[in-house]
Amino acid sequence: MKRIQRLVATVGLMSASAMAASGVVYKSPSCGCCDDWVEHMEQAGFELGVKPHNNMAAVKQEMGVPADMQSCHTARINGYVIEGHVPAQEVKKLLATHTGYEGLAVAGMPIGSPGMEYGDRHQPYTVMAFDETGHTEAFQHYPKP
């Protein structure tokens, strides 16, 4: 019974976190896949502003995104840095668990990740968590086992 209560509480936290989640996405003015990722996030209940930026390298450096974790767009959502094509459900999980991470990242632009859909093609990728020192660890693998 306690296990069910914890599950209900976690789902409730995830829903509340997503409903209250807002932020800003920094992207190159010419990047279309970034717009597709923003749409994915908004469909999941996030409220995001978009700020086109001509120097994304400076944005990533200022936000502490590890060099090997960089992608095309960078967001700050409820204080966390979200780099690249991170699925909305992983951002919700981060917001609900308050892990102490600085943020999440999907390096590069893997086909099949949110915003990078291409028919039924999917490349495996890993959502990585990172802290303020640049330490990284796997947060979730895709496709999920």
Side-chain angles (χ1 to χ4, degrees):
M1 184 65 159
K2 286 186 180 188
R3 186 179 235 178
I4 292 172
Q5 290 171 331
R6 276 185 274 165
L7 178 61
V8 169
T10 300
V11 170
L13 280 172
M14 289 175 74
S15 298
S17 295
M19 292 174 76
S22 62
V24 62
V25 179
Y26 299 90
K27 67 177 222 59
S28 168
S30 62
C31 188
C33 68
C34 301
D35 295 327
D36 293 342
W37 181 79
V38 169
E39 184 178 328
H40 162 79
M41 296 296 287
E42 289 176 341
Q43 288 174 354
F46 291 85
E47 294 181 20
L48 300 174
V50 176
K51 289 192 178 183
H53 203 284
N54 289 318
N55 187 354
M56 288 303 299
V59 170
K60 292 167 191 318
Q61 183 176 9
E62 181 180 316
M63 291 200 197
V65 177
D68 61 342
M69 294 286 103
Q70 295 183 3
S71 183
C72 54
H73 56 269
T74 305
R76 183 162 307 270
I77 300 175
N78 286 24
Y80 290 97
V81 177
I82 307 299
E83 176 70 12
H85 296 270
V86 176
Q89 66 189 35
E90 303 310 328
V91 178
K92 289 178 183 181
K93 185 166 61 172
L94 177 70
L95 295 176
T97 57
H98 306 286
T99 59
Y101 296 123
E102 184 71 18
L104 299 176
V106 170
M109 300 166 66
I111 294 172
S113 62
M116 291 297 299
E117 292 87 357
Y118 188 73
D120 61 355
R121 291 185 55 208
H122 291 85
Q123 293 176 312
Y125 65 94
T126 301
V127 177
M128 299 295 290
F130 61 93
D131 65 19
E132 61 190 23
T133 69
H135 171 77
T136 61
E137 63 183 65
F139 192 78
Q140 181 64 59
H141 299 283
Y142 281 82
K144 290 183 178 182

